[in-house]
Amino acid sequence: MTIFEIIILAIIQGITEFLPISSSGHLILPSLLLDWKNQGLAFDVAVHVGSLLAVVAYFREDILRMIIAWTTKGFSSQQSPDSKLAWWIITATLPAVVFGYLLKPFIAEYARSALVIACTTIGFGLLLWVADRRATLSKNLTDINFKSALIIGFSQVLAMIPGTSRSGITMTAGLMLGLDRDSCARFSFLLSIPTILGAGLLVTYDLVKANEAVDWLAMGLGAAFSFVSAYACIYLFLAWISKLGMTPFVIYRLLLGIVLLGVVFVGG
């Protein structure tokens, strides 16, 4: 890849990892419209590292509180709000771990086409709009319990289908459960930490197994630009989401889906 391609793809990955607009829907566009080559496993590792470092850096104080609370009170009868939140993140992660392992071969073979991505981008975008329109917005992070964490966790399994958007589907589930938008976003972002870490480790394993040559410059630039764009995305999204709502992202998803359908049926 050229340096220009590295920077553009890293910024796209960093932004779309956390916005409810589907990273796969965006990352497929350069290859379809500009005939860019696949970025390779090493670059995937780099942008995962950048995104992970960004969310950890932003929520460092929350993470530290949860770790301390979980290790001191997590196994006692007197749970604190932070220890409970840590348990709910663990609970919500488990379905993705189990079903991710079971469904990965099927998804890789049957669900990575541009048509699938276009349909899921539109379909799950409309579902996000419905959830936001009907949301009661009456609960916050302290109201999450085992049942709601499990529901959000199972919704995250759907994000294995390209075009769904991990952040989009978990926020959709959160809104349907009555969480306010800020709490939906924060729980989704915190939940992304073990998810991105797991995905990054899997890609790293594939990289080692494939014995692929590593372009360290590409990895460094990819990680750096992914970090900056992801951190800025998290900051701005949390600052604006309570006022903007999900409608702008729904409209954007619909437009993106239409563009992808156009590429499939007209360009193809």
Side-chain angles (χ1 to χ4, degrees):
M1 294 183 293
T2 66
I3 291 179
F4 176 76
E5 291 172 357
I6 291 169
I7 293 173
I8 295 300
L9 289 173
I11 291 174
I12 290 174
Q13 173 63 34
I15 292 175
T16 58
E17 182 70 47
F18 299 106
L19 291 182
I21 55 176
S22 169
S23 60
S24 53
H26 288 78
L27 291 173
I28 197 176
L29 282 177
S31 62
L32 289 175
L33 301 179
L34 304 174
D35 198 28
W36 287 8
K37 294 181 179 179
N38 185 282
Q39 59 263 37
L41 291 173
F43 188 77
D44 280 348
V45 171
V47 294
H48 273 94
V49 169
S51 298
L52 179 63
L53 291 177
V55 69
V56 169
Y58 188 90
F59 289 102
R60 59 191 181 277
E61 294 180 0
D62 303 72
I63 295 169
L64 182 60
R65 285 200 311 271
M66 283 191 292
I67 291 174
I68 294 172
W70 189 77
T71 53
T72 57
K73 297 183 178 181
F75 297 91
S76 70
S77 58
Q78 296 182 338
Q79 299 280 326
S80 70
D82 287 318
S83 67
K84 286 182 180 179
L85 183 58
W87 274 120
W88 304 149
I89 290 171
I90 293 171
T91 301
T93 301
L94 293 177
V97 173
V98 175
F99 287 94
Y101 175 78
L102 295 175
L103 298 177
K104 183 181 178 183
F106 177 84
I107 298 295
E109 184 173 355
Y110 297 107
R112 292 194 177 278
S113 69
L115 179 59
V116 169
I117 293 174
C119 292
T120 51
T121 297
I122 293 173
F124 286 105
L126 291 173
L127 186 62
L128 175 62
W129 178 75
V130 171
D132 193 46
R133 292 279 292 182
R134 296 184 176 181
T136 60
L137 309 177
S138 58
K139 300 178 182 178
N140 56 41
L141 287 178
T142 60
D143 294 308
I144 296 176
N145 54 29
F146 177 79
K147 180 181 177 180
S148 56
L150 206 58
I151 290 172
I152 294 173
F154 274 102
S155 76
Q156 188 175 222
V157 175
L158 294 171
M160 291 187 63
I161 306 172
T164 302
S165 171
R166 190 209 61 81
S167 58
I169 195 64
T170 51
M171 290 183 203
T172 297
L175 289 168
M176 289 180 171
L177 291 167
L179 292 174
D180 62 63
R181 296 186 184 105
D182 183 76
S183 297
C184 285
R186 287 180 180 275
F187 191 77
S188 176
F189 293 158
L190 289 169
L191 183 58
S192 75
I193 294 173
T195 305
I196 296 174
L197 179 60
L201 290 174
L202 286 175
V203 175
T204 302
Y205 173 75
D206 291 338
L207 174 64
V208 173
K209 188 170 63 174
N211 197 26
E212 183 177 304
V214 176
D215 183 343
W216 293 106
L217 175 61
M219 288 191 70
L221 287 175
F225 279 93
S226 175
F227 173 86
V228 172
S229 58
Y231 192 95
C233 171
I234 295 169
Y235 176 83
L236 294 174
F237 187 84
L238 289 174
W240 295 340
I241 188 57
S242 294
K243 297 178 181 178
L244 290 179
M246 297 295 180
T247 301
F249 303 103
V250 172
I251 294 172
Y252 183 83
R253 286 184 68 124
L254 296 179
L255 294 175
L256 175 62
I258 291 170
V259 169
L260 289 172
L261 287 175
V263 171
V264 171
F265 291 109
V266 179

